[in-house]
C-alpha cells in the first residue's frame, strides 16, 4: 500500500506525518520541487518512528514521480500559500499551472490512483485536476469540508465546554467566506446544537468558521497546516481502509441540489472506490439560497480558469 503526498511544505508534511503515525499505508512518498526538501522531511518523520512507535516508511524525492508509481491515493498540496491580504482566488493563475503539471505526472505514473486536492483556491483547483486527469468525479475531489467542519466543531466545543468528539456537523458550499454551515444538522452527543446555545452566539461561531482560514493567516502570516494536513490524512484513511465514512468534500455536482457541473462541498460516503455516493440533504429555502450564492461565487472563478486555459491553449 503506497500513498503519495505532493508538496512537502507545512500541509503536505503534516499530512505525511499523520499518515505515518496512524500507519495508514506501508509507504508514504513525499514529493517536492525543492532539492532535498522532501527527503529531509521524510527522514525526520521516519526518525520519529521509534519514539512514537510506528513502522510506516516515509520516503522523500525531488521531482521524481517514477518513485510514486502505483500509488493508491495521491494528495496534492502543491502551490503557493496565502499571504496576508490575499484571497484564495488571488492564487488561481499560479496554482492552476502547478496543479495541472502535477496532475499530469500523477496520472502518468499512477493511472488508477484516487486524487485528493488540497491546493487553494480549493474548489477551482479540484476542477483543474479533474480537467487534466480526465478521471471520473468519484476519483478526483477536494479536501475542504472536513477542515471547515473541524473548525466549526472546535469553536462549538470551546463555547459549550464539551469534548469535540461529541460534536457532529455538516457544512456545504465553497471553501471560504461563502461556505454554508448547517446548524440544523449539527448535534452534540445527539442533541441539536440549537437547544444548547443561543442563536446570536451560534451565528457568531458560524461567521468565525467562514473566515477561519483568514484568521490564521492574520495571526501567522501564512496559511494553516496542522488541521488541513490532518483532514487530508483522514480522507486517505477512509479510502485505504474502506471505512465508508460520511464526510463533506468538494465534489463535482451532477444534478444534486439542482446544480450541475460545479465543484462544491457536499456530504458523501468515502470508501475504497473514492466517492461511493453523494448524499443529497433536504435543504430549506434559506439553506438553498446560501448554497446558490456559494455556487455563483465558485462558478465565477471556474469561468475565469476556463478563460485562462483557453488563452494558454
Amino acid at each position: 500500500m503506497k500513498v503519495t503526498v505532493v508538496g512537502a511544505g507545512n500541509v503536505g508534511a503534516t499530512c505525511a506525518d499523520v499518515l505515518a503515525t496512524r500507519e495508514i499505508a506501508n509507504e508514504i512518498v513525499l514529493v517536492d520541487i525543492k532539492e532535498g526538501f522532501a527527503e529531509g522531511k521524510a527522514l525526520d518523520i521516519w526518525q520519529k518512528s521509534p519514539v512514537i512507535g510506528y513502522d510506516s516508511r516515509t520516503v522523500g524525492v525531488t521531482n521524481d514521480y517514477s518513485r510514486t508509481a502505483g500509488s493508491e491515493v495521491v494528495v496534492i498540496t502543491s502551490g503557493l500559500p496565502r499571504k496576508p491580504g490575499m484571497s484564495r482566488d488571488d492564487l488561481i493563475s499560479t496554482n492552476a499551472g502547478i496543479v495541472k503539471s502535477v496532475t499530469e505526472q500523477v496520472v502518468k505514473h499512477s493511472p488508477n490512483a484516487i486524487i485528493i486536492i488540497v491546493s487553494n483556491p480549493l474548489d477551482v483547483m479540484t476542477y483543474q485536476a479533474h480537467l487534466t486527469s480526465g478521471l471520473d468525479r468519484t476519483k478526483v475531489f477536494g479536501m475542504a469540508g472536513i477542515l471547515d467542519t473541524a473548525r466549526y466543531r472546535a469553536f462549538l466545543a470551546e463555547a459549550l465546554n464539551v469534548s469535540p468528539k461529541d460534536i457532529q456537523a455538516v457544512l456545504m458550499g465553497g471553501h471560504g467566506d461563502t461556505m454554508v454551515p448547517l446548524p440544523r444538522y449539527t448535534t452534540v452527543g445527539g442533541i441539536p446544537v440549537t437547544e444548547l446555545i443561543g442563536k446570536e452566539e451560534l451565528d457568531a461561531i458560524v461567521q468565525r468558521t467562514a473566515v477561519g482560514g483568514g484568521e490564521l493567516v492574520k495571526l501567522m502570516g501564512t496559511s494553516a497546516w496542522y488541521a488541513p494536513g490532518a483532514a487530508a490524512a483522514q480522507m486517505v484513511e477512509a479510502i485505504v481502509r474502506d471505512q465508508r465514512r460520511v464526510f463533506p468534500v468538494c465534489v463535482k455536482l451532477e444534478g444534486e441540489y439542482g446544480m450541475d457541473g460545479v465543484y462544491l462541498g457536499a456530504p458523501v460516503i468515502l470508501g475504497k472506490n473514492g466517492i461511493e455516493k453523494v448524499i443529497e440533504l433536504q435543504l430549506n429555502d434559506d439553506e438553498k439560497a446560501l448554497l446558490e450564492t456559494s455556487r455563483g461565487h465558485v462558478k465565477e472563478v471556474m469561468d475565469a480558469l476556463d478563460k485562462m486555459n483557453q488563452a494558454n491553449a
Side-chain angles (χ1 to χ4, degrees):
M1 175 65 66
K2 182 191 291 186
V3 173
T4 288
V5 180
V6 183
N10 289 332
V11 175
T14 299
C15 180
D17 184 43
V18 174
L19 290 171
T21 303
R22 293 178 63 83
E23 297 184 318
I24 291 168
N26 303 99
E27 183 179 22
I28 298 131
V29 182
L30 259 179
V31 184
D32 202 272
I33 195 171
K34 184 178 178 182
E35 187 71 38
F37 195 58
E39 289 88 339
K41 292 284 186 79
L43 182 59
D44 195 15
I45 294 169
W46 174 240
Q47 290 173 352
K48 182 165 63 76
S49 63
V51 181
I52 303 299
Y54 55 84
D55 52 30
S56 292
R57 187 67 188 267
T58 47
V59 178
V61 295
T62 301
N63 252 9
D64 180 11
Y65 284 86
S66 66
R67 190 66 182 79
T68 72
S71 295
E72 304 241 358
V73 184
V74 177
V75 180
I76 299 178
T77 73
S78 306
L80 298 179
R82 278 203 293 170
K83 300 296 183 184
M86 290 178 70
S87 71
R88 288 184 176 88
D89 298 348
D90 292 334
L91 299 175
I92 182 173
S93 58
T94 300
N95 285 356
I98 294 171
V99 169
K100 181 176 185 294
S101 175
V102 168
T103 303
E104 288 170 347
Q105 291 295 321
V106 168
V107 173
K108 177 181 176 181
H109 294 281
S110 301
N112 297 317
I114 292 169
I115 301 174
I116 299 172
I117 302 299
V118 184
S119 307
N120 274 321
L122 190 284
D123 311 287
V124 184
M125 291 305 101
T126 305
Y127 175 47
Q128 178 66 72
H130 173 74
L131 289 174
T132 304
S133 68
L135 296 174
D136 188 79
R137 69 168 180 166
T138 61
K139 303 292 186 183
V140 183
F141 41 89
M143 186 292 296
I146 293 176
L147 170 61
D148 294 332
T149 304
R151 288 171 174 159
Y152 179 45
R153 292 161 64 197
F155 297 152
L156 282 171
E158 194 173 16
L160 295 169
N161 196 24
V162 300
S163 170
K165 296 177 183 178
D166 291 330
I167 300 176
Q168 292 294 320
V170 178
L171 287 141
M172 292 185 63
H175 181 47
D177 299 350
T178 63
M179 70 178 69
V180 184
L182 299 173
R184 280 201 308 130
Y185 293 98
T186 304
T187 61
V188 183
I191 302 166
V193 72
T194 50
E195 294 186 15
L196 300 173
I197 191 169
K199 184 180 185 303
E200 187 174 322
E201 190 174 4
L202 182 57
D203 287 345
I205 288 172
V206 166
Q207 179 56 31
R208 187 182 179 192
T209 302
V211 296
E215 178 182 358
L216 290 164
V217 171
K218 288 178 183 177
L219 289 169
M220 302 187 297
T222 189
S223 298
W225 63 88
Y226 293 123
Q234 188 176 52
M235 292 176 71
V236 174
E237 182 178 24
I239 294 164
V240 169
R241 295 182 173 161
D242 192 24
Q243 293 176 329
R244 298 185 67 82
R245 298 288 304 273
V246 176
F247 288 138
V249 308
C250 176
V251 58
K252 180 184 181 185
L253 296 180
E254 296 179 345
E256 296 89 0
Y257 301 97
M259 299 177 183
D260 190 52
V262 66
Y263 281 79
L264 283 178
V268 307
I269 297 173
L270 209 56
K272 65 180 179 180
N273 298 309
I275 293 177
E276 306 281 354
K277 180 183 180 181
V278 177
I279 298 172
E280 193 162 4
L281 303 176
Q282 298 302 309
L283 303 181
N284 61 34
D285 290 343
D286 289 342
E287 292 160 347
K288 288 177 182 176
L290 289 171
L291 190 62
E292 175 57 31
T293 298
S294 191
R295 184 207 67 80
H297 176 76
V298 172
K299 190 63 170 63
E300 280 182 16
V301 189
M302 287 176 62
D303 290 344
L305 177 64
D306 286 337
K307 289 178 183 178
M308 283 172 42
N309 287 337
Q310 289 168 6
N312 295 329

